Amino acid sequence: MEWMLHESGAERAAYTALTALALFLAVIWLCSCEALRSYERAADGSIVYFDQISDAAKVEARRKIADGLDRGFKVYELGVGDEIEIFFRIERKPTSKEYVVSVADKLRIESLNDPENSRTVQVRPDGRISLPLIGPVTAAGQTADALARQLQERYSSVLTAPQITVLVTESHSPLDDFIDMIGPPSKGRSIVLKVLPDGTVTLPLLPPLQATGRTVPNLQNEIDVKYFALGLDVSVSLIPRVRRAGAAVVIGEVGKPGRIEFERPATVLMAVGQAVSSDGLIWDFKLRQGVMFHDGSELTADDIVYSFQRLLAIGKAPSAPFLPILKPDSVTVQGRYSVRFQLDKP
């Protein structure tokens, strides 16, 4: 009995140690989870955790990102070698006009007073159908009712009081032909095109369209207009996929956002330099708000301008890279957090 009591005490001690270890590990896990939370440091130096941001603030942040991406999309100009994917949206809308028979349509010719002579025929490539007793009859270009009247008139010379109706059992409209060209929805109604060396792209049923030097929305609008002119309920969406080597897109607070061409390898800074202004001489910089000096005062454009003007006025070694292209009075304040550099040459 005494031995069993001693063993029970040892078990309790082991259980207590395991419980303490589990609590210790749980605390460590919770601390690590806290450290892995995503956050951003605000302009005033405070930390904002993403999981504490309101839904409205998240929506606004997404909107700003989308606006920025959309701005780059709208100013980008296509060039030779660019690849774009074109998505087709097809809507089958009823028309006010009566359907006109076309080549390859299938027609059911019903003879009400002579059912044995009823038959299904297909419109030949020459636009005609062949029927017994009366031979070839032109069907393409007529409505079903007009064709029925013509057949009834033709058969009246060989039959007594013929009563004929025409039903279109399978139609082939221009829209059907277009769908056959681009494929069924299961294959994805899109095609990938590359801007050809002559600067054009070619789409189904359309003549070559000029693409180089045009923005994506501009080309997209022309394609929609062209298809509408053909009587097709087709609209398109254009997405740039691959840019030609030697080109980049610069967007944001620059004087000339859009496509930048290079004839040799270039850095990001060189790309930004070409997009700064039409002549590459004006550089505007926006300062991040909330940057503080050790004495607690905020960094502003005045501080940047003073530092650069003093550096250029002294003319010592640290200013050597700037002296050939920048004068002290060419660094100016544009706002509390905005500084402009007016270069003498690019």
Side-chain angles (χ1 to χ4, degrees):
M1 185 67 177
E2 182 179 357
W3 177 82
M4 294 179 66
L5 289 174
H6 282 298
E7 184 179 19
S8 177
E11 290 178 351
R12 284 197 298 271
Y15 176 78
T16 302
L18 289 175
T19 302
L21 177 61
L23 290 174
F24 176 73
L25 293 176
V27 170
I28 294 177
W29 180 78
L30 289 174
C31 291
S32 64
C33 290
E34 181 71 9
L36 293 175
R37 291 171 65 194
S38 297
Y39 68 91
E40 183 178 71
R41 192 174 298 277
D44 59 2
S46 62
I47 294 178
V48 178
Y49 288 98
F50 290 160
D51 57 8
Q52 295 177 341
I53 300 176
S54 66
D55 291 340
K58 292 177 182 178
V59 170
E60 178 63 17
R62 295 190 190 101
R63 185 193 65 78
K64 289 182 178 179
I65 294 173
D67 288 346
L69 294 175
D70 187 56
R71 181 169 183 260
F73 174 79
K74 289 179 179 178
V75 301
Y76 178 73
E77 294 182 352
L78 295 168
V80 173
D82 283 354
E83 285 188 4
I84 53 176
E85 185 167 6
I86 302 178
F87 294 86
F88 297 92
R89 181 185 178 190
I90 298 173
E91 296 183 9
R92 293 184 178 271
K93 299 178 181 178
T95 61
S96 58
K97 297 181 180 179
E98 193 173 355
Y99 180 75
V100 174
V101 176
S102 63
V103 172
D105 283 357
K106 289 185 178 180
L107 309 176
R108 178 65 181 174
I109 311 297
E110 295 280 358
S111 180
L112 301 181
N113 54 353
D114 188 10
E116 292 184 359
N117 283 329
S118 298
R119 66 194 60 230
T120 299
V121 297
Q122 186 170 21
V123 181
R124 302 187 320 221
D126 62 0
R128 298 182 178 187
I129 57 175
S130 297
L131 295 172
L133 303 178
I134 61 173
V137 178
T138 300
Q142 299 193 70
T143 65
D145 290 342
L147 179 58
R149 289 193 296 269
Q150 181 183 1
L151 294 178
Q152 194 161 291
E153 182 180 347
R154 293 279 296 269
Y155 271 113
S156 62
S157 62
V158 292
L159 297 176
T160 302
Q163 297 181 21
I164 297 175
T165 61
V166 177
L167 303 175
V168 180
T169 59
E170 185 177 317
S171 62
H172 290 79
S173 66
L175 184 59
D176 293 319
D177 295 336
F178 178 82
I179 293 174
D180 290 340
M181 295 179 70
I182 64 174
S186 59
K187 293 185 178 179
R189 285 177 173 164
S190 70
I191 58 176
V192 177
L193 299 177
K194 180 177 288 187
V195 181
L196 300 176
D198 64 355
T200 66
V201 292
T202 303
L203 285 83
L205 303 181
L206 296 182
L209 301 176
Q210 187 66 34
T212 53
R214 302 179 63 179
T215 63
V216 172
N218 180 266
L219 179 59
Q220 179 176 299
N221 181 67
E222 183 181 2
I223 295 173
D224 286 343
V225 171
K226 295 287 187 183
Y227 279 130
F228 180 80
L230 293 178
L232 300 178
D233 296 323
V234 177
S235 58
V236 299
S237 296
L238 274 62
I239 306 296
R241 289 302 184 195
V242 180
R243 292 192 304 274
R244 179 184 65 82
V249 179
V250 180
I251 60 175
E253 298 297 330
V254 292
K256 192 177 64 174
R259 181 189 183 95
I260 303 298
E261 299 281 354
F262 298 107
E263 296 181 356
R264 60 183 185 276
T267 64
V268 173
L269 186 59
M270 292 169 65
V272 174
Q274 290 196 36
V276 169
S277 62
S278 58
D279 55 8
L281 299 179
I282 300 177
W283 292 66
D284 288 330
F285 290 87
K286 303 291 184 181
L287 304 184
R288 181 164 62 89
Q289 300 182 29
V291 177
M292 313 299 288
F293 287 106
H294 289 291
D295 63 357
S297 60
E298 186 182 25
L299 174 69
T300 66
D302 290 325
D303 301 310
I304 300 296
V305 170
Y306 171 79
S307 298
F308 264 91
Q309 289 182 344
R310 182 173 181 275
L311 179 68
L312 293 169
I314 294 175
K316 299 296 184 181
S319 63
F322 304 102
L323 292 176
I325 60 173
L326 188 64
K327 294 183 175 64
D329 57 358
S330 297
V331 185
T332 57
V333 174
Q334 300 297 306
R336 182 173 176 81
Y337 302 103
S338 179
V339 180
R340 170 168 293 180
F341 292 79
Q342 177 75 48
L343 306 183
D344 292 337
K345 57 184 179 180

